[in-house]
Amino acid sequence: MATLLYRLGRFAFRRRHFTALFWVALLALAGVAAAGAPVAGNSSFSIPGTEAQKAFDVLEERFPGASADGATARVVFKAPAGEKMTDAGNKAIVQDTVGELSDGSEVARVTDPYQGGGVSEDGTVAYASVSYRVSGMELEESSRDSLEDAAESARDAGLTVEVGGDALQAVPATGATEIIGIGVAAVVLVITFGSLVAAGLPLLTALIGVGIGVASITALASALELGSTTSILATMIGLAVGIDYALFIVSRYRAELAEGREREDAAGRAVGTAGSAVVFAGLTVVIALVGLSVVNIPMLTKMGIAAAGTVAIAVLIALTMVPALLGYAGRRVRAAGEKGKRRGREDEEKENGTARGKAQEKAQRPNMGTRWARFVVRRPVAVLLLGVVGLGAAAIPASSLELGLPDDGSQPTSTTQRRAYDLLSEGFGPGFNGPLVVVVDAKGSDDPDAVFRQTGDDIKALDDVVSVSPAAPNKTGDTATITVVPDSKPSSVATEDLVHDIRDAGAGIKADTGADVLVTGATAMNIDVSQKLNDALVPYLTLVVGLAFLLLIVVFRSILVPLKAALGFLLSVMAALGAVVAVFQWGWLSGLMGVEETGPVMSMMPIFMVGVVFGLAMDYEVFLVTRMREAYVHGEEPDEAVVTGFRHGARVVGAAAVIMMAVFAGFIGSSESMVKMIGFGLAIAVFFDAFVVRMAIVPAVLALLGKKAWWLPKWLDRALPNVDVEGEGLRTDADADADAGAGGKGGGPDDRDLARV
C-alpha cells in the first residue's frame, strides 16, 4: 500500500499539469451536467415495511386520483376581536379565498370550511384544506405564490390568516455561519502551517472535491429522487474530511522536507505514509455512511451513499491533487519549523541543507503535544478516570431521549406555518394538527359497511380520542377511510399510545371479520419511522463497528487497539447525544444555538450520529495511532511511541478537529431544523472524540497496556495482508528508486510507474 501510494504521489507531483487538468475538467463536466439537469422531482418519504406505508399504498390503489402523497396546505382564518367567522362579512371573505385557491392547475381539491365542518365551536377560527396533485418538492413556485397571494388578500380584508402544511416546503438555507465556518478553518490552517500558500492547498482541494460531489448530486437529483438535504449533508461532510485529509498530507510533506528530502521524494513519502492513513480513514467513513442502507429507509440510504461518494472523491483528490499542487507551490511551502521567507544566501543554505538542519533541530524541541503525552504517560489512571467520568456526565441527558420527526409545531414562532399550527390548536385542540387516517380494507369481508361501523365504534371507545369521522368508502365500497382526531399534540406519548391502541383494536377486527385496519397519516408515519430506526440501531451498529473493527485490525495489526477505538467511540457518541438532548429537547443554551422551539430529537439523529461520528472518530484514531505504530515498529518502547505519535500528530489532529468542528458548526445557522441539529451534534461529537477520547483516553489506555496493546496472535498475523501503513517498505523501495533515477530529476520514477499505479 505505502509503496503504491508513494509512486502515485511522485507521479502526481511530476505530472502536475496532467493531474490538475484532470480534476478541473471533471469539475467542469460535473458543473455542466448539473446546470443542464432537470429540477429534482418527487423526493417522497417512503418507509417500506411499515403499516403507515402499507396504508398509503392501499389508498393509492383503491382511491385513484386522490393523491395520497400529494402536498397539502391549511389556510387558517381568525376573526377580529369581538367577531366570528360565521359573520356574513367574514364568511364572504373566506369563500372568495376558497374560490381563489381553487384556480391553481396543480390543485386537486379545496374544502370549504362552512361545508366541511372547518369552523371551531366558538366560531373564532376556521380553516380551508388545499390538496395538490403533486408532492411538496414537485410543487411549482407559481402554486406556492398563488397560495400566499390568496392568504394575503384575506389579510388585507381584515382577517388574521396563516398557512400551514408541506405545500410551503422550501429548500433549506444555511445562512452566513457556513461561510464563517470555512473562514475559521482558513485561520486554523494559516496558524498551523504559518503560510498562506500551504494553508490554501487544503481549502482549495476540499472545495474542488465538494464541487464535484455536489454538482454530481444535483445532476442526478431528478433521476434518483434525491432531496435537498442530500446535497447539504454531502457539503457538510465533504468539506470537513476534504480539508482534514489534505491537511494531513501537507503536514507530512513539510515533515519530510524537514528531514532533508527532495520535494518530489517528500511528496511521494507523504502520500505513501499519511496517504495510507487517509485511505483507511476514508474507508471507515464510507463504510459507516453506506451502512445506513441497512435501515431500509430510501431517503436515508440515498443521503448516506451520496455523502460516501463525496468522501471517496475527497480521498482521491488528497492522494493526487494535493501532491500536484505542492509541485506548483515549490519553495512557497516550507519545511516544518521554517519561519519567514528566506532570500539570497539563506536560499543557498537551504539547498545545501543548513536551513533544514536548523528546522530539524527546532523540530526536536518538546512541543505541546510532546509535553501533554509525557504528562498522560506519567499519570494514565487519573487521566483515564477523568475522561471517562466527564463523558459519562455529558451523556446523562441521553437517558431521557425522546424521538420524533419535526412538524409545523417545531418551526420558529416567526413562521406562518407555526402560527397556523397554534391557531388550529387554539380553535380545535392540539390533536387537530396531527389527525390519524384509518384505512379499513374490507375487500375480503361479507359486509363491508358493518365492518366500517364497527371500526368507528371501537375507535370512539378508546382514550385520547376527540372525534371520529364517519367512514368514507371508495367507489367500489370495499375500502374506507376514517379520520381520527386525538386529544393530544402529534409528538406526544399519548398520541403514540393511541396509534398502538387503534392497531390493537384493528387486530381484533381482523380476527372477527378478516378486514385489515391500517393507521397512517403524517403522525403515524413519524411513529413508525422512529420505531423502525430504533429497531435498526443495533444491527447497524453491529455491522458498521464490526467491519471497521476488522479493517483496523489490518491497519494496526492489533486486537486491543481497535477494541479501544470502538469503546472510545461509544463514549463520545453517547456524550454527543446527551448534548443534543440538553440543547434541543431541554432547551439549554437554545438561544445561543438559535433553537426557537424545543421538542423531541429528530428520530434519525441517533442512528445518523452513530454512522457519521464513527467514521470521523476512526479518522483521528488512524491518523494519531498510526504514528505511534510507526514509531513502535521502528524500535521505540511503547511509552516512547506514544510520545512520538503525539509529537508528530497532536498539533495536526487538533487543528483538523477544530476545522471539522468549525465546518459542522457553520450549519447550525440553517433554517432547516434537521440540518441545524445534525450540524450541532456532529460538531460537539468531534470535540468530545478528538480532544477527550483520542487526546486523553487513548494515550492513557496505551500507556497502561504497554506492549500488550500491539499484541496479535501469530496465526492471525500470518493470515492478515500486510498493508504497510507505516511505510516500512519505503525504506528500501524508495531508496532503490532514487538510485535507479540517479542523475535524473530528484531520482523520480519513469513513466512506467504510472502503469504500476
Side-chain angles (χ1 to χ4, degrees):
M1 171 71 76
T3 303
L4 179 68
L5 293 178
Y6 168 80
R7 290 169 179 157
L8 177 62
R10 293 188 67 170
F11 173 83
F13 185 95
R14 192 175 68 251
R15 304 293 185 186
R16 45 190 171 271
H17 300 315
F18 168 79
T19 305
L21 181 62
F22 170 81
W23 286 111
V24 171
L26 191 59
L27 176 62
L29 183 64
V32 170
V39 177
N42 182 21
S43 57
S44 58
F45 192 82
S46 62
I47 314 294
T50 62
E51 179 173 316
Q53 185 62 48
K54 183 180 178 181
F56 267 122
D57 295 340
V58 171
L59 288 174
E60 287 287 344
E61 177 188 348
R62 308 287 174 82
F63 292 82
S67 302
D69 61 346
T72 59
R74 276 178 170 176
V75 182
V76 188
F77 308 88
K78 183 175 183 181
E83 299 181 17
K84 293 184 180 295
M85 291 305 304
T86 51
D87 294 345
N90 294 334
K91 188 174 182 179
I93 296 171
V94 172
Q95 289 177 332
D96 288 343
T97 304
V98 169
E100 190 175 344
L101 290 170
S102 303
D103 292 339
S105 60
E106 294 182 317
V107 175
R109 60 188 175 278
V110 180
T111 60
D112 188 319
Y114 301 102
Q115 297 177 4
V119 181
S120 63
E121 288 186 8
D122 61 6
T124 60
V125 179
Y127 74 93
S129 294
V130 186
S131 300
Y132 294 89
R133 295 187 177 92
V134 295
S135 69
M137 293 304 295
E138 290 178 300
L139 203 63
E140 294 181 359
E141 283 301 320
S142 59
S143 296
R144 292 193 180 95
D145 293 340
S146 298
L147 178 62
E148 293 173 345
D149 290 343
E152 190 61 36
S153 298
R155 290 191 192 103
D156 293 340
L159 298 179
T160 298
V161 186
E162 304 296 345
V163 184
D166 61 352
L168 292 183
Q169 179 179 341
V171 176
T174 53
T177 51
E178 177 186 352
I179 306 300
I180 295 174
I182 297 176
V184 171
V187 171
V188 173
L189 287 170
V190 171
I191 294 173
T192 302
F193 291 137
S195 164
L196 288 174
V197 175
L201 293 183
L203 282 176
L204 178 60
T205 54
L207 290 173
I208 291 174
V210 168
I212 294 172
V214 172
S216 300
I217 290 171
T218 304
L220 298 172
S222 178
L224 301 181
E225 300 181 358
L226 302 178
S228 58
T229 309
T230 303
S231 59
I232 293 179
L233 175 65
T235 301
M236 184 189 304
I237 296 179
L239 269 178
V241 300
I243 294 173
D244 278 7
Y245 294 165
L247 166 65
F248 284 108
I249 290 179
V250 174
S251 298
R252 187 60 183 252
Y253 171 77
R254 296 176 71 236
E256 296 293 339
L257 288 180
E259 293 182 7
R261 305 192 189 283
E262 296 297 325
R263 293 189 177 274
E264 183 177 324
D265 185 46
R269 287 178 178 271
V271 175
T273 51
S276 297
V278 165
V279 169
F280 283 101
L283 274 176
T284 61
V285 179
V286 168
I287 288 172
L289 290 170
V290 173
L292 290 170
S293 59
V294 304
V295 183
N296 195 27
I297 295 179
M299 187 187 79
L300 195 59
T301 299
K302 293 171 184 176
M303 289 172 63
I305 292 176
T310 307
V311 171
I313 292 172
V315 171
L316 293 174
I317 284 185
L319 299 178
T320 56
M321 188 69 167
V322 170
L325 293 181
L326 289 173
Y328 282 118
R331 295 177 183 174
R332 287 185 289 274
V333 177
R334 299 183 296 273
E338 291 185 18
K339 299 291 183 183
K341 292 185 177 179
R342 305 179 186 274
R343 293 183 174 88
R345 183 171 179 176
E346 291 191 1
D347 280 336
E348 184 178 349
E349 287 179 351
K350 186 176 182 181
E351 293 300 319
N352 293 332
T354 305
R356 270 199 200 101
K358 294 178 181 178
Q360 291 177 19
E361 181 181 349
K362 185 173 182 178
Q364 291 174 356
R365 301 173 189 168
N367 57 18
M368 184 177 295
T370 302
R371 294 193 294 272
W372 170 251
R374 288 174 178 168
F375 171 80
V376 175
V377 167
R378 288 196 303 269
R379 299 173 179 83
V381 175
V383 172
L384 178 61
L385 289 177
L386 185 61
V388 171
V389 170
L391 291 178
I396 290 175
S399 61
S400 63
L401 176 67
E402 295 178 9
L403 298 177
L405 286 178
D407 56 17
D408 285 348
S410 62
Q411 296 274 0
T413 53
S414 59
T415 62
T416 185
Q417 294 97 319
R418 173 58 189 278
R419 291 195 293 264
Y421 181 98
D422 291 340
L423 283 177
L424 288 172
S425 297
E426 174 188 331
F428 300 91
F432 198 78
N433 285 290
L436 306 174
V437 179
V438 179
V439 180
V440 185
D441 179 4
K443 192 172 185 179
S445 174
D446 297 332
D447 188 356
D449 289 337
V451 174
F452 300 155
R453 289 193 300 271
Q454 179 185 347
T455 303
D457 292 340
D458 288 353
I459 293 174
K460 289 178 183 177
L462 298 175
D463 294 333
D464 200 48
V465 174
V466 171
S467 65
V468 178
S469 71
N474 62 350
K475 291 182 179 180
T476 58
D478 59 7
T479 307
T481 60
I482 299 173
T483 301
V484 180
V485 176
D487 188 39
S488 50
K489 63 181 182 178
S491 58
S492 68
V493 176
T495 300
E496 182 177 350
D497 291 340
L498 175 60
V499 170
H500 293 310
D501 290 342
I502 295 175
R503 287 173 174 170
D504 291 341
I509 294 172
K510 181 176 177 62
D512 295 338
T513 66
D516 284 326
V517 178
L518 309 171
V519 185
T520 188
T523 301
M525 183 68 81
N526 290 352
I527 292 170
D528 287 352
V529 168
S530 298
Q531 186 61 51
K532 191 176 182 70
L533 290 166
N534 285 338
D535 293 343
L537 183 58
V538 173
Y540 172 70
L541 192 61
T542 303
L543 173 68
V544 172
V545 175
L547 288 176
F549 181 78
L550 295 176
L551 185 65
L552 293 179
I553 289 178
V554 174
V555 173
F556 296 128
R557 309 196 77 78
S558 164
I559 298 293
L560 296 180
V561 170
L563 181 61
K564 172 262 310 167
L567 293 177
F569 150 74
L570 292 176
L571 280 174
S572 59
V573 78
M574 289 304 298
L577 275 176
V580 169
V581 170
V583 173
F584 290 89
Q585 187 175 311
W586 292 359
W588 293 5
L589 302 178
S590 57
L592 181 63
M593 297 297 165
V595 180
E596 295 189 29
E597 186 68 25
T598 60
V601 173
M602 183 183 63
S603 54
M604 290 185 184
M605 196 65 187
I607 198 164
F608 188 80
M609 282 190 66
V610 165
V612 178
V613 174
F614 181 79
L616 300 179
M618 294 306 102
D619 276 4
Y620 300 117
E621 180 75 16
V622 170
F623 288 131
L624 193 61
V625 180
T626 47
R627 269 290 188 153
M628 300 178 190
R629 169 74 183 174
E630 184 178 342
Y632 179 76
V633 167
H634 293 163
E636 292 189 12
E637 291 297 316
D639 286 358
E640 295 174 356
V642 171
V643 175
T644 299
F646 268 76
R647 181 170 66 249
H648 292 293
R651 183 181 182 186
V652 179
V653 168
V658 171
I659 290 169
M660 196 170 280
M661 289 167 56
V663 172
F664 288 148
F667 289 84
I668 295 176
S670 173
S671 60
E672 176 68 35
S673 58
M674 181 172 75
V675 176
K676 181 190 292 288
M677 191 178 294
I678 289 174
F680 171 80
L682 295 182
I684 198 70
V686 168
F687 171 77
F688 287 143
D689 195 84
F691 293 106
V692 180
V693 175
R694 310 303 154 189
M695 292 289 191
I697 294 178
V698 165
V701 171
L702 291 178
L704 290 171
L705 292 175
K707 292 184 178 181
K708 296 177 183 177
W710 308 107
W711 171 80
L712 186 69
K714 292 183 178 179
W715 64 269
L716 185 56
D717 187 41
R718 290 191 298 268
L720 292 176
N722 182 14
V723 295
D724 190 21
V725 177
E726 302 85 16
E728 182 66 22
L730 299 183
R731 289 176 170 245
T732 55
D733 290 3
D735 294 339
D737 280 348
D739 293 340
K745 192 174 180 178
D750 58 29
D751 291 339
R752 287 173 295 179
D753 285 332
L754 178 58
R756 285 182 284 178
V757 173

